[in-house]
Amino acid sequence: MSQNKEILQTAAQVGDREIVITRVMDASRELVFEAWTKEEHLSKWWGPQGFTTTSQTFDLQPGGTWQFIMHGPDGVDYPNTNVFVEIVKPERIVIKHAVFPHFQATAHFEDLAGKTKLRYSSVFEETAEIFDKVKTYAVPGAEQTMDRLEEHLASMSKE
């Protein structure tokens, strides 16, 4: 039985050009949405384990941009630009990743009696060959990012 519960807690699916990460977070939908929509929270959890994030611009509105640098544990900097496509509080955020690899991501937040089911879907624009390479680091990176989000949510709950 506990094995089935674990499957419901986290799941990753990879399609031809899509990665979907589904997690049940032990936090309210409003708190999870806040962690996704306030720069001071995003900078604490966005990116895989060992990465830090420095925001340059953060304009949370349709057409607005979030420009940031992800600093890798090996000292390499990765400039990023996301454009907010849609923000429906507290249900959904759609982001267009405007630098390589190009993709559109949708974070969908579903209330589960005080917990939140988060479905994070990324649809890539690159060729299938490029996607085959990208998914080797994008899937574990997305999983680690969701781990960091869960850790951050626990700290937010204590504030």
Side-chain angles (χ1 to χ4, degrees):
M1 187 66 146
S2 63
Q3 223 175 13
N4 288 340
K5 183 179 177 191
E6 182 61 29
I7 290 170
L8 292 175
Q9 294 297 320
T10 182
Q13 298 173 313
V14 180
D16 289 338
R17 290 202 183 117
E18 181 179 28
I19 298 169
V20 179
I21 306 293
T22 304
R23 291 268 177 114
V24 175
M25 305 280 177
D26 192 15
S28 70
R29 179 165 74 163
E30 290 73 20
L31 193 66
V32 177
F33 192 84
E34 180 180 333
W36 277 78
T37 56
K38 295 202 173 170
E39 187 280 325
E40 64 267 24
H41 292 300
L42 279 164
S43 65
K44 292 179 182 169
W45 64 267
W46 190 267
Q49 295 294 344
F51 281 74
T52 58
T53 299
T54 303
S55 291
Q56 297 165 309
T57 62
F58 186 78
D59 183 17
L60 182 73
Q61 63 177 333
T65 60
W66 176 31
Q67 291 182 301
F68 58 98
I69 299 173
M70 290 176 53
H71 310 282
D74 57 0
V76 176
D77 287 342
Y78 301 90
N80 282 267
T81 301
N82 285 341
V83 177
F84 295 102
V85 175
E86 182 181 32
I87 302 151
V88 181
K89 183 179 181 179
E91 299 171 13
R92 179 176 58 255
I93 300 168
V94 181
I95 300 167
K96 176 92 171 148
H97 192 250
V99 297
F100 182 85
H102 299 90
F103 60 88
Q104 183 160 299
T106 302
H108 182 264
F109 311 92
E110 180 183 342
D111 179 41
L112 292 179
K115 293 185 179 191
T116 304
K117 180 179 179 182
L118 170 62
R119 182 180 187 275
Y120 181 68
S121 156
S122 301
V123 178
F124 289 78
E125 298 173 12
E126 318 306 339
T127 65
E129 293 79 19
I130 292 174
F131 177 68
D132 283 343
K133 293 175 186 167
V134 167
K135 71 183 177 187
T136 63
Y137 62 85
V139 173
E143 288 280 14
Q144 292 171 23
T145 300
M146 293 304 113
D147 292 344
R148 293 184 66 200
L149 171 58
E150 286 183 294
E151 292 167 12
H152 183 67
L153 289 167
S155 72
M156 287 175 70
S157 298
K158 294 175 185 171
E159 292 177 356

